[in-house]
């Protein structure tokens, strides 16, 4: 079986290792969702990853609801991403942009008071971050059938912009309770049209978005993230094995370059799933590279490869605090702990100031 340090073909490129940087929201863009100079430093520091997947990046004003999160729908955003991709490439790295529509997770304050959109008229539980502090989620309005074409156009526009900004590819964010996930799950999708009801209908939007993105940038430059094994911001499903098995078969048919799964263990230290992992079902249905994520250390990651469960692992918090994570793993070096208080702060502290290991 391969090790974490073996190369792997991911779509149209060969990654030098199987240690990915997982997408991590960090809140270092401007209020206009324009990337900043420190983001180029941050991503370039982590260029030894087999593949960098950026923080979730808004595809449109409608889909963006995170304070100081970056976007990719305007010309200034595209221009501001170029120094990021240039810095990563100069450091020898490869970088995909994660394309994000938050759906009902967008607070109306980001939309001039308008309702967010979702699969159905539902409300996410709890509070969300806004520029005015935490506020309760608002009820979403169902996305109308005649709006689907416009949504697909938004994804294609964002994907084209990502390539214009110098990215090596994109990842469709279909996980974590955001818009596409809201269409997938049967407790958030209450529709009775072609996008609701049966599993076949509920995976339709995922398939159409992914196909449109693949048609725009190439299937070899397109990945997808799913989160199949538990509640994600109130989105859940009564039969995830059937749902995500069907989703994986559909994505295999599109020919995407890879799948990346966020699956917290049942007794995880960060996220906690409400059921066992679903990735064995997905593994059987999807023939391309499969990457796992959530609460993995080096030993657990290598064990997953040894068992044939996955082809690699995406690391989040360990990579956040250790810009040279592959080197530390390869040499058995201790890891810096991450500081949660600075996960979403706007400055360089807890962002670009984590030290690399001293090399002898």
């Amino acid at each position: 079986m391969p090790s974490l340090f073996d190369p792997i073909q991911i779509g149209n490129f060969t990654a030098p290792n199987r240690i990915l940087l997982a997408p991590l929201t960090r809140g270092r863009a401007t209020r206009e969702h324009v990337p900043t100079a420190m983001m180029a430093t941050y991503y370039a520091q982590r260029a030894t990853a087999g593949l960098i997947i950026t923080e979730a990046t808004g595809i449109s004003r409608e889909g963006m609801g995170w304070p100081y999160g970056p976007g990719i729908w305007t010309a200034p955003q595209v221009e501001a991403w170029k120094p990021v991709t240039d810095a990563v490439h100069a450091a020898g790295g490869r970088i995909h942009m994660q394309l994000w529509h938050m759906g009902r997770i967008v607070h109306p304050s980001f939309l001039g008071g308008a309702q967010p959109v979702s699969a159905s008229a539902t409300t996410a539980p709890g509070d969300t971050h806004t520029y005015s502090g935490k506020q309760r989620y608002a009820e979403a309005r169902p996305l109308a059938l005649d709006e689907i074409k416009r949504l697909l156009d938004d994804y294609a526009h964002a994907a084209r912009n990502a390539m214009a900004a110098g990215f090596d590819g994109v990842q469709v964010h279909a996980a974590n309770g955001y818009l596409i996930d809201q269409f997938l799950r049967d407790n958030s999708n209450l529709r009775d049209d072609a996008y609701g009801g049966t599993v076949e209908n509920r995976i339709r939007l995922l398939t159409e978005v992914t196909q449109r993105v693949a048609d725009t940038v190439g299937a070899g430059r397109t990945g997808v993230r799913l989160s199949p094994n538990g509640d994600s911001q109130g989105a859940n499903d009564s039969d995830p094995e059937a749902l995500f098995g069907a989703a994986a078969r559909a994505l295999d048919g599109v020919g995407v370059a890879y799948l990346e799964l966020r699956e917290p263990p049942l007794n995880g230290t960060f996220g906690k799933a409400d059921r066992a992992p679903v990735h064995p079902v997905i593994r059987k249905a999807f023939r391309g590279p499969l990457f796992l994520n959530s609460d993995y250390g080096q030993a657990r990651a290598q064990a997953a490869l040894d068992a044939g469960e996955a082809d690699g692992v995406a690391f989040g918090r360990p990579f956040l605090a250790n810009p040279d994570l592959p080197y530390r793993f390869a040499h058995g070096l201790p890891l810096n702990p991450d500081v949660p208080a600075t996960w979403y702060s706007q400055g360089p502290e807890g962002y670009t100031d984590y030290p690399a290991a001293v090399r002898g």
Side-chain angles (χ1 to χ4, degrees), residues 12 15 42 51 69 85 103 116 126 129 137 161 202 228 255 260 283 314 322 342 348:
N12 67 337
Y42 171 79
L51 172 65
T85 58
H129 296 276
Y137 287 106
N161 280 352
R202 284 184 280 122
E260 186 233 345
R283 184 68 159 164
N322 298 274
T342 59

Side-chain angles (χ1 to χ4, degrees), residues 106-329:
V106 179
H107 190 267
S109 63
F110 288 90
L111 304 172
Q115 276 184 290
V117 299
S118 185
S120 303
T122 61
T123 306
D127 301 324
T128 186
H129 296 276
T130 75
Y131 289 117
S132 301
K134 286 194 173 184
Q135 298 191 56
R136 302 292 294 179
Y137 287 106
E139 183 178 86
R141 67 172 180 83
L143 196 68
L145 277 175
D146 61 8
E147 294 181 281
I148 299 291
K149 180 183 183 302
R150 186 262 303 162
L151 178 69
L152 298 178
D153 289 344
D154 287 345
Y155 272 99
H157 176 67
R160 280 193 299 271
N161 280 352
M163 300 309 292
F167 283 88
D168 300 298
V170 297
Q171 183 193 71
V172 174
H173 194 347
N176 299 7
Y178 296 115
L179 181 67
I180 296 175
D181 207 20
Q182 292 158 27
F183 270 79
L184 289 173
R185 314 289 191 114
D186 61 13
N187 83 329
S188 53
N189 184 341
L190 312 177
R191 302 172 75 100
D192 58 6
D193 58 19
Y195 292 87
T198 65
V199 164
E200 180 183 21
N201 284 353
R202 284 184 280 122
I203 68 171
R204 191 180 307 277
L205 184 66
L206 166 66
T207 307
E208 290 181 351
V209 166
T210 306
Q211 186 67 65
R212 183 66 181 278
V213 169
D215 289 344
T216 302
V217 305
R221 294 182 175 90
T222 303
V224 176
R225 169 175 258 213
L226 300 170
S227 54
N229 76 322
D231 183 295
S232 292
Q233 303 191 90
N236 211 341
D237 196 79
S238 61
D239 191 354
E241 288 81 7
L243 171 63
F244 288 99
R249 285 189 292 276
L251 295 172
D252 187 74
V254 174
V256 297
Y258 65 94
L259 293 184
E260 186 233 345
L261 310 181
R262 182 182 182 274
E263 283 197 312
L266 286 168
N267 296 305
T269 57
F270 178 61
K272 183 177 181 181
D274 58 15
R275 63 182 73 227
V278 182
H279 68 254
V281 173
I282 293 171
R283 184 68 159 164
K284 293 177 181 178
F286 182 74
R287 292 172 291 179
L290 181 67
F291 297 92
L292 303 181
N293 166 257
S294 197
D295 291 0
Y296 280 86
Q298 181 179 358
R300 181 172 171 238
Q302 186 58 57
L305 269 62
D306 292 344
E309 297 177 32
D311 300 291
V313 172
F315 294 87
R317 287 169 294 128
F319 231 139
L320 178 159
N322 298 274
D324 55 347
L325 186 66
Y327 179 84
R328 288 176 184 262
F329 278 173

